[in-house]
Each structure stands twice: as C-alpha cells, then as structure tokens.
C-alpha cells in the first residue's frame, strides 16, 4: 500500500512538473566562451527600394513562362527595372506566393512600392504580348502613381529615402544614334583589322 | 458537492487563464491592427513600422530543447528569400547558442551578416546616437528584421519599430491568427534598456529582404 502511495505521489509530482514547465520558454542561450572581436563594416544603404516579383508555375516549361523569363533577360527597360528594384523570382510553391497570392494564375509579374502597395500586376491569361508592352505599362503606372517630386528627406533616422525606379522611354532617335555609333565602330574596326593584316603581310 | 464546486471553480479559473493574452515581462502583444497607430490611409507596413512580416504559417517555432537563436536566424533567412539556406540551418543546428559561436557559424556557412554588441551604449561616431540604436535604425531603414538576445536566456526577432514602439516576434509564440502577424510591442526606451540588460547583442543578414503582403 505504501509503495502504491509513493508511486501515485511520484506520478502526481511529475504531472505537476509537466504542467508548470509547459508554458515556460525553453532555455536557449549559453554563456559565451570568449568575447567577440569588433569589426567595423560598411552596411548597404539599400532601403526605400521597390520590389519586382516574378512567379512561375512549379517546374514551369510553358510558353508564357519562358516568354516572361526572356523579357526580363532582354528588354532594356525591364533589365533596368530589375537593377533598380529588389528582384525576386519564385516558383508558385514558395512561401511568398503561397501565402499572399495563392489564387493568382502563374506566371505573373508584380511590382510593389517600398510600402508594398501594388503598382503593377499582370498574370497568366492577361499578360501583355511582349516585353516592350510590359515595360510600357509599368512605365505608365509609375508615372501615374509617383509623379516627379523633389526628393524629400525622411522625417526619422529609421526611415529610408524613397527610390522610385526610373524607366526611360525607348526612343527611336536614341536607337538610331546607337545603331549609327555601332556602324561607325564596325567600319573603324574593319579598317584597323585590314591595316594590321597588310602590315603583317 | 463542495469538492465538486471547488473542482469546477478551478477548471473555470484554468480556462480563463488559458484565454488570457500573455504579457510576459511587460511585453504586451498587439492583438489587432486597429489598435496600432495609423497615418491616414497608409498601408499596414507603413503605419505599423513592421518590416519582418512573416505569415504565422511561415514562422519558425523554437525546437529541440531550446533552439531560439537558430529559430530567429531561420526566420531571418526566410525573410531574405534564402529558403534553401533556411532549411539547411534548421537541419544542421539546434540547441543552446552563444554570440561568438553564432558569429563563427554564420561565417562558416558563408553567409553575409552583420552584428552588434552594445551592452554599454557606446557612441563610436560621436553623433549622439548609440551604436545599438543605429544598428536597429539601419535594419528598419533597409527593411531587415534582426535576431536579438532578449528576455531571460532567450533570443527572438526584432520585427520593426515606429515612433512609439518596437515590435518583436517570439519563436515561442508563433501561431497567432492575424493576417499580417501578431507581434509583441514594447515602448522604445524600454526596449533598448532591456536589450542592453540582456547583453546588447543583435545580428542580421545582408540579402534583399522580401516585401510583405501586397496592399
């Protein structure tokens, strides 16, 4: 009988201990073995930037996905957007699209400002025909949402300066100029090569 | 009969305790967003000052007998879009951790990171703002959360700040229901004082932080 009481006492004590320990944070930190040496480094001031997010269906090999990927690799204004914003590419199964846009048909492109306001959004079935049209649309949305205003200094030290991406319109004039320069360079190169060849002979 | 009432009373007390929001060490949780300071029609992120925005299902809970430092680091890796590294860290490290070993592990893993140790409120550049505050201001300015040694023998995430409060995400309490998260908040002066009393150590990772949910 005594041993039975002892066992029940022990069980009760264990149960009580389990209840008491249940909600306590688990121990985590242990004492440092040695102090850490100081090291000063320059931290990037990359706040206030917008985000460009491209989401593909998982294991995407469809035509639309390949087209979207090639737009961002070749269209100059989209490349510029990519460089000026935080650029992310995800499969649809990644946590970000799964949590925030689970029902949007991929592939899709979304541009968010520094406060996560949607500036531009295009998704499968409603994507523009080519990269140039996407760039045109994004450029228009940026102009509509964020007209040129003098750069305002943030009110507090923990706030970043807003960095609105600047997409330059693709102008035929500048394209012509580039083509002209390329032609001059090509003629010059050919002439120099010919001269060197003659000299070697 | 008297015992029965006593038992019922005890059950009622226990039940009410179970539903009382926890306010450990003076850190009161933010229960809904309407209680947060607003500025006109600004979106959630702008008016709450929360930068480490991880949906509850994505948050990493403390595991394996006390891995809060590692859970905080995994949260940072997820916020910075480093899912593979987050899975790797989760798989390879668990248990207690201290600052120097964490730094050496960050280094060994080839991660880009920054840390601060400022228990004495140093002002290295003499600009009137202590180094610790400057570190958190930089995190905030660039949209990064941080891991901090905070609460007794514990480590959690710094999730953001505004003019009044600092917002925190505790890996011992990750399953909160709100859409943009359920954060603890502490008045700023209290936060800095307490953070220093726990050793004044904080770290973050230097990758592009993911935006929160589109507004």
């Amino acid at each position: 009988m005594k041993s039975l009481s002892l066992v029940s006492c022990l069980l009760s004590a264990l149960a009580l201990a389990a209840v008491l320990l249940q909600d306590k944070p688990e121990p985590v930190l242990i004492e440092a073995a040695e102090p850490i040496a100081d090291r000063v480094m320059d931290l990037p001031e990359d706040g206030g930037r917008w985000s460009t997010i491209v989401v593909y269906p998982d294991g995407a090999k469809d035509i639309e996905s390949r087209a979207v990927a090639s737009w961002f690799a070749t269209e100059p204004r989209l490349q510029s957007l990519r460089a000026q914003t935080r650029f992310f590419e995800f499969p649809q199964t990644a946590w970000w699209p799964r949590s925030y846009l689970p029902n949007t048909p991929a592939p899709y492109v979304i541009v968010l400002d520094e406060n996560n306001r949607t500036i531009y959004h295009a998704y499968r079935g409603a994507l523009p025909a080519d990269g140039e049209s996407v760039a045109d649309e994004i450029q228009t949305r940026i102009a509509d949402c964020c007209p040129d205003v003098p750069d305002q200094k943030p009110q507090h030290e923990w706030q970043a300066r807003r960095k609105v991406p600047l997409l330059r319109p693709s102008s035929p004039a500048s394209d012509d100029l580039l083509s002209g320069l390329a032609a001059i360079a090509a003629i010059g190169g050919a002439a120099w090569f010919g001269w060197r060849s003659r000299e070697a002979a | 009969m008297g015992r029965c009432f006593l038992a019922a009373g005890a059950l009622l007390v226990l039940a009410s305790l179970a539903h009382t929001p926890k306010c450990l060490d003076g850190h009161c949780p933010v229960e809904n967003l309407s209680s947060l300071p607003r500025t006109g029609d600004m979106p959630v992120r702008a008016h709450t000052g929360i930068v480490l925005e991880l949906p509850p299902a994505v948050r990493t809970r403390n595991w394996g007998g006390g891995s809060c430092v590692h859970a905080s680091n995994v949260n940072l890796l997820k916020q910075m879009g480093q899912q593979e590294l987050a899975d790797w860290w989760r798989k390879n490290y668990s248990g207690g951790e201290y600052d120097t070993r964490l730094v050496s592990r960050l280094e060994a893993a080839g991660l880009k990171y920054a840390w601060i140790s400022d228990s004495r409120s140093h002002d290295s550049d003499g600009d009137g703002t202590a180094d610790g505050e400057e570190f958190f201001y930089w995190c905030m300015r660039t949209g990064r959360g941080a891991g901090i040694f905070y609460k007794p023998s514990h480590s959690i995430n710094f999730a953001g700040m505004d003019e009044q409060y600092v917002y925190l995400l505790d890996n011992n309490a990750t399953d909160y229901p709100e859409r943009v998260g359920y954060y603890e908040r502490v008045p700023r002066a209290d936060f800095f004082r307490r953070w220093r009393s726990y050793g004044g150590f904080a770290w973050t990772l230097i990758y592009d932080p993911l935006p929160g949910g589109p507004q």
Side-chain angles (χ1 to χ4, degrees):
Chain A
M1 193 63 179
K2 266 186 183 172
S3 63
L4 189 66
S5 312
L6 190 64
V7 168
S8 59
C9 269
L10 276 172
L11 284 174
S12 315
L14 279 173
L16 185 64
V19 168
L20 288 174
L21 289 174
Q22 198 179 16
D23 269 340
K24 290 200 171 169
E26 294 169 315
V28 264
L29 295 177
I30 47 184
E31 288 300 313
E34 67 221 41
I36 348 175
D38 279 349
R39 197 164 55 173
V40 179
M41 53 190 291
D42 289 326
L43 298 173
E45 280 300 337
D46 55 358
R49 292 174 74 190
W50 291 19
S51 301
T52 305
I53 298 152
V54 183
V55 176
Y56 300 103
D58 205 26
K61 287 178 182 165
D62 59 292
I63 294 170
E64 277 188 301
S65 296
R66 278 185 288 179
V68 172
S70 89
W71 298 341
F72 279 92
T74 56
E75 212 290 328
R77 280 175 297 162
L78 294 182
Q79 284 181 302
S80 169
L81 179 76
R82 188 178 172 148
Q84 292 179 64
T85 58
R86 288 173 167 155
F87 183 77
F88 303 97
E89 286 177 302
F90 294 122
Q92 213 167 8
T93 47
W95 77 259
W96 195 93
R98 218 177 52 233
S99 304
Y100 296 127
L101 297 166
N103 301 317
T104 303
Y108 61 82
V109 178
I110 184 163
V111 178
L112 305 175
D113 76 359
E114 76 283 8
N115 288 317
N116 302 338
R117 275 179 289 214
T118 304
I119 303 298
Y120 178 76
H121 191 191
Y123 47 86
R124 192 183 75 217
L127 284 165
D130 49 42
E132 207 179 326
S133 309
V134 176
D136 284 342
E137 287 186 5
I138 294 175
Q139 196 177 314
T140 308
R141 297 290 171 79
I142 293 174
D144 290 347
C145 87
C146 315
D148 269 345
V149 285
D151 200 9
Q152 288 179 333
K153 200 182 169 196
Q155 204 181 345
H156 301 289
E157 207 180 331
W158 62 89
Q159 292 170 332
R161 248 174 226 275
R162 185 172 213 212
K163 296 186 178 92
V164 179
L166 181 66
L167 297 193
R168 297 212 178 276
S170 61
S171 75
S174 62
D175 288 351
D176 289 350
L177 182 66
L178 278 177
S179 311
L181 286 173
I184 291 167
I187 292 164
W192 180 81
F193 184 75
W195 176 73
R196 292 282 296 171
S197 303
R198 261 205 310 274
E199 196 175 58
Chain B
M1 192 65 174
R3 277 183 190 170
C4 188
F5 275 128
L6 197 63
L11 278 174
L12 276 174
V13 170
L14 282 174
S16 66
L17 280 176
H19 286 94
T20 306
K22 288 171 189 163
C23 216
L24 298 169
D25 193 22
H27 302 70
C28 297
V30 180
E31 289 190 40
N32 59 63
L33 291 169
S34 59
S35 70
L36 294 169
R38 297 187 73 93
T39 312
D41 292 320
M42 295 296 275
V44 170
R45 185 172 180 155
H47 69 71
T48 59
I50 287 169
V51 289
L52 181 69
E53 192 182 321
L54 289 177
V58 178
R59 297 172 182 187
T60 308
R61 194 172 178 80
N62 198 353
W63 73 86
S67 309
C68 59
V69 176
H70 303 303
S72 303
N73 199 46
V74 171
N75 276 338
L76 291 178
L77 285 164
K78 286 179 178 172
Q79 191 220 355
M80 310 217 188
Q82 306 295 320
Q83 187 62 50
E84 281 182 25
L85 282 167
D87 295 341
W88 181 86
W89 197 279
R90 171 73 179 80
K91 194 177 156 192
N92 283 278
Y93 294 123
S94 69
E97 188 59 285
Y98 51 87
D99 48 10
T100 47
R101 192 167 67 186
L102 172 69
V103 170
S104 65
R105 284 176 164 173
L106 293 169
E107 186 77 32
L111 294 174
K112 291 186 273 183
Y113 62 93
W115 55 268
I116 181 94
S117 187
D118 184 29
S119 59
R120 292 186 182 177
S121 200
H122 282 297
D123 178 10
S124 312
D125 55 8
D127 66 353
T129 306
D131 297 350
E133 276 82 342
E134 286 199 2
F135 179 81
F136 288 108
Y137 292 168
W138 171 78
C139 285
M140 189 66 207
R141 207 160 56 232
T142 61
R144 291 175 169 89
I148 52 175
F149 286 6
Y150 200 80
K151 300 185 181 179
S153 296
H154 197 27
S155 171
I156 59 174
N157 284 112
F158 161 87
M161 65 166 66
D162 56 30
E163 285 175 52
Q164 287 179 283
Y165 297 104
V166 169
Y167 297 88
L168 305 168
L169 177 60
D170 189 336
N171 46 70
N172 281 335
T174 52
D175 48 355
Y176 294 125
E178 278 82 0
R179 147 74 177 70
V180 291
Y182 189 106
Y183 297 88
E184 291 178 15
R185 69 177 178 193
V186 193
R188 285 173 52 143
D190 290 353
F191 169 77
F192 287 114
R193 186 173 43 76
R194 287 177 191 164
W195 172 68
R196 289 200 165 91
S197 77
Y198 295 121
F201 181 76
W203 80 99
T204 191
L205 304 172
I206 307 178
Y207 299 93
D208 278 347
L210 286 173
Q215 307 291 325

